[in-house]
Amino acid sequence: EIERPLLTERCVFGCIGNHELTDQAGDNFRRYFGPSDGAHLYSTFRWGAARFFLLNGSDTFTSGDEATWLKDVLTRADTEDGLRWRFIVIHQGPWSSGPHGNNSRLLMGGAAALFKEHKIDAIFSGHDHIYERGDEKGLLYVVTGGGGAPLYPIQSRIPSSRKAESAHHFIEVAVDKYLATSRLQTAGLRVPRTAVCQTADDALARFADLGGDVVVKPLFGSEGRGITRLADEALAERAFRMLEQFGAVIYLQEFVT
């Protein structure tokens, strides 16, 4: 009953952890989330412009089937058409300020260098029952282990940590700007008025509704690229017509100071 509201609009993808390998929780994991062939405890899937890599954090990454598979799928993802985001999901992640600390198997196996080489955008893990986010030489990571079990103390803040606390929590990640904006608004935060259009005519109408001064940006990603401020109707129409020809979604936000 607790999960019912969440599961009405969310899919569930399982990522194996240490308890699934060491006690009876493994039977339930195999039943509901396990691979059909029963042979592999790691997988990958694509969702929109994002690809997720679900790894077995208790494995060794110096050699073996998972290490070989991971190098192969990361290499193929480098040139995957339309792919914008790459996320690692692993129960025991590479870094943590909690009692379990860093995952030495992962780090000794060279996984961090591999993630960086293939431009992984973020690493999500659990294991330690804390919340933490950090940046290890350009690799962003989040430890999100506060879903309900008894909390762990912050053992020792590691240098890469940006925020760490012993707190119950969950995280929500949105890979498109419109969803992210709607979630912020639902949480009571102020956001610019926003419109998402499929045609240039609709975009021109919304341009006027938003005060004739807007920011146009890609719906997915951008890293500051492709963002344009338009305050002239003629220039706005030219931009919208061009985006329409490319089949792009036209994402507009009112310009605010």
Side-chain angles (χ1 to χ4, degrees):
E1 293 299 321
I2 295 175
E3 296 89 353
R4 185 182 298 276
L6 184 67
L7 294 180
T8 57
E9 56 180 28
R10 297 289 191 279
C11 293
V12 176
F13 298 89
C15 181
I16 198 165
N18 56 300
H19 289 287
E20 287 74 46
L21 295 168
T22 59
D23 57 36
Q24 292 182 344
D27 294 333
N28 286 331
F29 182 87
R30 283 189 293 271
R31 178 181 179 185
Y32 295 109
F33 302 110
S36 57
D37 61 6
H40 300 107
L41 298 176
Y42 44 86
S43 61
T44 181
F45 68 92
R46 176 154 177 180
W47 190 277
R51 177 165 289 283
F52 295 79
F53 304 90
L54 281 58
L55 307 183
N56 174 12
S58 297
D59 208 345
T60 176
F61 287 84
T62 52
S63 61
D65 292 343
E66 184 170 8
T68 301
W69 169 85
L70 181 59
K71 292 176 183 177
D72 178 59
V73 293
L74 288 175
T75 299
R76 284 190 276 122
D78 288 342
T79 56
E80 189 172 346
D81 187 47
L83 190 64
R84 174 60 188 84
W85 302 99
R86 298 164 180 83
F87 299 119
I88 296 292
V89 182
I90 183 169
H91 180 69
Q92 186 177 3
W95 304 285
S96 172
S97 295
H100 288 111
N102 297 346
N103 185 336
S104 58
R105 287 188 176 187
L106 198 66
L107 297 175
M108 290 176 63
L114 189 65
F115 297 160
K116 193 166 185 178
E117 176 187 351
H118 294 282
K119 299 178 175 60
I120 294 298
D121 293 287
I123 304 165
F124 298 101
S125 66
H127 199 47
D128 274 327
H129 300 175
I130 64 171
Y131 168 79
E132 183 172 21
R133 64 178 182 269
D135 182 342
E136 173 60 38
K137 299 179 180 178
L139 279 174
L140 304 180
Y141 67 91
V142 177
V143 181
T144 173
L151 296 171
Y152 293 171
I154 302 302
Q155 193 77 9
S156 178
R157 285 282 296 273
I158 57 179
S160 59
S161 179
R162 295 295 178 267
K163 174 71 175 180
E165 61 179 314
S166 179
H168 285 120
H169 69 281
F170 68 92
I171 65 171
E172 184 165 15
V173 179
V175 296
D176 72 75
K177 292 185 176 65
Y178 190 75
L179 179 59
T181 299
S182 67
R183 292 290 187 261
L184 292 172
Q185 187 174 42
T186 300
L189 301 175
R190 294 180 62 188
V191 297
R193 290 186 298 157
T194 303
V196 179
C197 307
Q198 291 185 307
T199 68
D201 289 337
D202 286 343
L204 278 170
R206 299 299 291 141
F207 173 80
D209 293 341
L210 296 175
D213 192 355
V214 303
V215 176
V216 181
K217 57 182 73 172
L219 183 61
F220 295 102
S222 80
E223 298 177 338
R225 294 171 293 184
I227 297 177
T228 304
R229 179 183 176 188
L230 296 171
D232 179 271
E233 185 175 1
L235 289 177
E237 181 173 9
R238 288 175 59 187
F240 299 155
R241 298 294 179 198
M242 181 177 64
L243 290 170
E244 185 180 43
Q245 288 180 0
F246 289 138
V249 173
I250 306 172
Y251 181 91
L252 311 172
Q253 284 188 321
E254 66 175 333
F255 178 77
V256 294
T257 57

